[in-house]
Amino acid sequence: MENDFIIEKPVNSYLQTWVDYYFFIEIPVDQLKLSEEFVFPFPRITFGYFFDHPFLVTNHSADANYSADMIISRISTDQISVKPLTDRVKIIGAHIKPFALALLTNENISKMPWIIKTADLFQKEATTFKKKIDRCSSPKEMFAEVEHVFLKSVLEKDLSLVISAVDLIEEEKGNISIATLSESIGVSTRTLRNHFYKSVGCSPKEYIMLVKLRQSIYQMKYTSNSLTSVSYSQNFADQAHFTHTVKNIIGTHPKEIKKKFPDFRFLQF
């Protein structure tokens, strides 16, 4: 499956600071292992345009679903699954950093829906983008259109406090306390929490957990480390605590993750 993905970094130097990469995939559904797959909670925001091959996105935590054609999913710890509604998967998208949604809207991110319609965010620009990208003949041209709409829609804001906190959390791979984080940034824990809710959409504690979860899943996928080893490497008290956390957030036992690791998974890992 990995060979069916095309990935490209942003060209613009400013976008390189908050866009991880653009991605494109086109593949028949019958080449996927599973018809429905859980999207692991992930410390990134994902933009995706599904062309004429929409997906059913189900939020099992909220008991809600949505037919997605062009969306942005915000940071969430909910259990979410995706399922193709046609016989083909075709997606152009981008993974952007957790604070980047706040660069595209003045809304309080924590008050926004779990799935954001791109048309609501970019208004007429979304319609123009869709028309342009449907005429593109290659993923490279599509990536250029994604870059264009991001640059045209970005707002001027000072997010230095949240950016510094996110950078520190990721530098420490999630192994940092809220007290230490607040002290390092030079603000109170309450101020830090308020900034995270407004600009990221979750608490710093939740974001730290997502970073640790990403590290754990990466280890489970790409190494032969035991669950005990993974648990301690991510500073969980023990394997039982790690297993409980994973089951609570993802909805399945860690032992099942490697066996059922998703195919398309929005290029999370």
Side-chain angles (χ1 to χ4, degrees):
M1 274 297 298
E2 277 75 5
N3 293 331
D4 295 298
F5 290 121
I6 299 173
I7 301 174
E8 187 171 297
K9 293 284 188 178
V11 174
N12 180 272
S13 58
Y14 171 61
L15 286 182
Q16 290 170 8
T17 65
W18 56 271
V19 176
D20 282 348
Y21 53 79
Y22 309 120
F23 63 86
F24 176 78
I25 178 174
E26 184 172 13
I27 190 172
V29 168
D30 60 16
Q31 290 187 28
L32 301 174
K33 293 178 183 177
L34 302 171
S35 61
E36 182 175 16
E37 299 178 357
F38 274 87
V39 178
F40 298 124
F42 189 57
R44 287 295 181 269
I45 295 162
T46 301
F47 161 73
Y49 173 46
F50 300 80
F51 297 86
D52 54 351
H53 302 286
F55 270 47
L56 179 67
V57 184
T58 301
N59 185 322
H60 299 269
S61 302
D63 192 25
N65 54 58
Y66 179 78
S67 178
D69 59 354
M70 189 160 63
I71 60 170
I72 291 180
S73 62
R74 69 177 182 86
I75 298 290
S76 173
T77 57
D78 289 349
Q79 293 178 21
I80 296 173
S81 67
V82 291
K83 181 179 181 179
L85 293 176
T86 68
D87 61 354
R88 195 163 192 80
V89 171
K90 185 177 181 181
I91 308 170
I92 181 79
H95 277 320
I96 59 180
K97 294 191 176 180
F99 53 81
L101 190 52
L103 293 171
L104 302 173
T105 178
N106 285 316
E107 296 289 326
N108 183 321
I109 307 303
S110 67
K111 304 297 183 184
M112 298 184 77
W114 59 284
I115 290 290
I116 301 163
K117 295 180 182 179
T118 310
D120 291 342
L121 196 64
F122 297 140
Q123 284 88 43
K124 292 181 180 179
E125 190 64 33
T127 302
T128 302
F129 167 80
K130 188 173 181 179
K131 289 178 180 177
K132 286 183 177 180
I133 212 162
D134 284 341
R135 293 196 295 264
C136 290
S137 59
S138 70
K140 192 171 188 66
E141 290 181 9
M142 296 178 195
F143 295 151
E145 291 299 338
V146 175
E147 184 142 324
H148 174 77
V149 76
F150 280 165
L151 284 172
K152 192 168 183 178
S153 305
V154 71
L155 305 172
E156 290 189 14
K157 285 186 178 181
D158 179 9
L159 298 180
S160 55
L161 189 154
V162 168
I163 292 173
S164 296
V166 166
D167 286 347
L168 187 54
I169 290 170
E170 299 199 350
E171 181 182 323
E172 297 297 328
K173 298 182 179 179
N175 296 314
I176 187 170
S177 69
I178 301 299
T180 300
L181 181 62
S182 300
E183 184 177 351
S184 300
I185 302 301
V187 297
S188 68
T189 56
R190 181 176 182 178
T191 296
L192 180 66
R193 184 172 61 251
N194 289 342
H195 276 265
F196 257 75
Y197 274 122
K198 183 177 180 180
S199 300
V200 178
C202 67
S203 69
K205 182 177 180 180
E206 288 173 317
Y207 187 74
I208 286 172
M209 183 56 63
L210 290 178
V211 170
K212 291 175 68 174
L213 186 62
R214 177 181 61 181
Q215 295 292 128
S216 302
I217 294 175
Y218 187 91
Q219 283 185 265
M220 285 187 281
K221 179 173 174 62
Y222 293 107
T223 74
S224 58
N225 295 350
S226 67
L227 288 183
T228 300
S229 176
V230 172
S231 304
Y232 287 126
S233 71
Q234 299 306 317
N235 281 352
F236 285 92
D238 50 37
Q239 184 181 325
H241 182 211
F242 172 66
T243 298
H244 174 77
T245 301
V246 172
K247 288 183 70 175
N248 187 52
I249 295 178
I250 297 179
T252 189
H253 194 285
K255 289 180 179 178
E256 298 298 313
I257 289 177
K258 196 160 190 175
K259 289 191 283 184
K260 298 180 179 179
F261 213 91
D263 280 336
F264 44 85
R265 68 187 179 279
F266 295 105
L267 295 184
Q268 290 179 303
F269 302 94

